[in-house]
Amino acid sequence: MTGESGGIQQAADVLRAGGLVAFPTETVYGLGADAENPVAVSRTFQVKGRPPNHPLIVHIESAAHLDGWAEDVPETARVLAEHFWPGPLTLVLRRSSRVPLEATGGLETVAVRVPDHPVAQALLAAFGGGLTAPSANRFGSVSPTTAEHVRTELGDAVDLVLDGGPCQVGVESTIVDVSAEAPAILRPGGVTREDLEAVLGYPLGVPATSDVRVPGQHPSHYAPRARVILVEPENVIAEAEQAQQAGRQVGVLLPPTFADAEVKAHAVVNVPASPAAYARALYRLLRGFDESGCDLVVASLPPEDGMGLAIANRLRRAAGPRG
Ligand code: TXA
Ligand code: MG
């Protein structure tokens, strides 16, 4: 299935009939359902194995549609939508009665975004309504950045997969809560904190993150099957070789300063030097370690500015304690 119009019309029909359609966005692939069909929305949770109280993002065609889905939209939200939509920004707002509680996990707020991908845009235009779409992966695992990832992970549980090629951003959208007094970043992602603050003119709160090797309050999420451990960049090679020596099958995300170093490990990958390229590649690299049979991945955190903030957030979550 490709993104041409025949596929799009068929996908819109599947959605109208209450089916599930996986589609590409600029961030990751989403598992789409008619946001106004509680039965279809509930099926998304079953397919993902996701607890029903985890709210979904409603994808809409443009900012002009926002008022149908949210109420009391503050000026801050309008400004951010104007600057960053279509794009990898999700806004949390007060829910309108059009949004079923199944989609919001029972919350009175709703997360909304306008994706910036021609296939997603064409699908939303053909469908004519809003689409709930979590990342099209099993709960807790690594988000898919190609149609092949979706097919491998969800198989027949999805009625149709639209193939729009590899995702350009590679990590999920930035979520900003604008439903309360002070806007706050709930999840760093494809729009950087610096870009948001430049538009708003004031600093934004970001969720607290734990230190290297102290994953503590971050239960594992965005995680490959292989265990992930985080160490300082200068310790990556020694840590990896020691674990390999001890019988583990070790995958290594080699920091840019150590690119092309000889490492005695199972699978060694140079981390792309540009943060945008690293974000684009991150989930594909983590999946690759699983495919090549690694049981441990040794990595370090990038500097936490620009896209580095989202990359570090996902690596910490991948390294969190397993449930
Ligand atoms: O880039 C993305 O955002 C992708 C693509 C497909 O659009 N979607 C995505 O969806 O990452 P998902 O379901 O994997 O993550 C949605 C996140 C969850 O962490 C959820 O808790 C949060 O959005 N969320 C949704 N509604 C919320 C709400 N009302 N209040 C706070 N957080 C909310
Ligand atoms: Mg997800």
Side-chain angles (χ1 to χ4, degrees):
M1 184 67 48
T2 60
E4 82 270 357
S5 58
I8 295 290
Q9 287 306 331
Q10 190 193 345
D13 289 341
V14 169
L15 291 165
R16 276 184 210 108
L20 301 186
V21 173
F23 64 94
T25 80
E26 76 280 30
T27 58
V28 301
Y29 275 70
L31 181 59
D34 177 355
E36 291 171 272
N37 180 337
V39 177
V41 170
S42 298
R43 241 188 95 207
T44 330
F45 288 90
Q46 285 160 27
V47 166
K48 277 184 66 80
R50 170 164 163 152
N53 61 347
H54 279 236
L56 303 178
I57 296 171
V58 176
H59 296 66
I60 60 174
E61 196 186 337
S62 75
H65 294 76
L66 184 57
D67 289 299
W69 299 93
E71 275 174 8
D72 305 333
V73 176
E75 186 53 25
T76 308
R78 307 256 181 227
V79 169
L80 292 177
E82 164 81 16
H83 272 86
F84 297 106
W85 283 355
L89 175 69
T90 295
L91 297 174
V92 173
L93 295 152
R94 280 174 47 89
R95 172 183 79 93
S96 88
S97 57
R98 189 177 181 183
V99 185
L101 286 168
E102 282 79 359
T104 70
L107 296 175
E108 287 305 326
T109 53
V110 61
V112 186
R113 95 173 182 98
V114 177
D116 184 17
H117 189 291
V119 174
Q121 281 283 331
L123 181 64
L124 286 164
F127 177 64
L131 295 176
T132 49
S135 51
N137 54 279
R138 302 273 311 161
F139 183 64
S141 86
V142 173
S143 296
T145 53
T146 67
E148 193 52 40
H149 293 164
V150 180
R151 291 192 201 97
T152 307
E153 191 158 338
L154 299 180
D156 292 342
V158 186
D159 298 303
L160 196 147
V161 180
L162 290 171
D163 190 343
C167 300
Q168 287 305 301
V169 176
V171 294
E172 299 80 356
S173 61
T174 303
I175 302 178
V176 178
D177 186 349
V178 279
S179 71
E181 202 71 4
I185 296 177
L186 301 184
R187 177 179 73 181
V191 171
T192 66
R193 173 189 190 166
E194 292 85 346
D195 285 347
L196 290 164
E197 291 176 344
V199 166
L200 292 175
Y202 53 83
L204 282 171
V206 285
T209 43
S210 59
D211 291 330
V212 169
R213 275 207 183 278
V214 191
Q217 68 274 46
H218 292 277
S220 141
H221 210 91
Y222 310 107
R225 275 196 313 280
R227 289 280 169 157
V228 178
I229 59 167
L230 299 174
V231 298
E232 296 300 334
E234 59 274 21
N235 297 334
V236 166
I237 294 173
E239 186 82 27
E241 292 191 332
Q242 206 180 343
Q244 184 75 33
Q245 190 75 38
R248 307 293 295 267
Q249 296 298 314
V250 181
V252 186
L253 283 172
L254 210 47
T257 34
F258 299 95
D260 297 320
E262 281 287 328
V263 187
K264 293 184 204 72
H266 186 66
V268 184
V269 178
N270 288 328
V271 159
S274 109
Y278 189 8
R280 192 177 306 129
L282 178 64
Y283 290 151
R284 176 174 53 76
L285 296 176
L286 292 177
R287 279 174 188 269
F289 288 132
D290 280 346
E291 280 155 25
S292 64
C294 294
D295 57 35
L296 182 72
V297 173
V298 179
S300 61
L301 297 176
E304 292 185 55
D305 52 3
M307 285 300 289
L309 187 66
I311 296 167
N313 171 271
R314 302 308 188 271
L315 285 171
R316 281 202 179 89
R317 300 288 300 265
R322 302 286 161 111

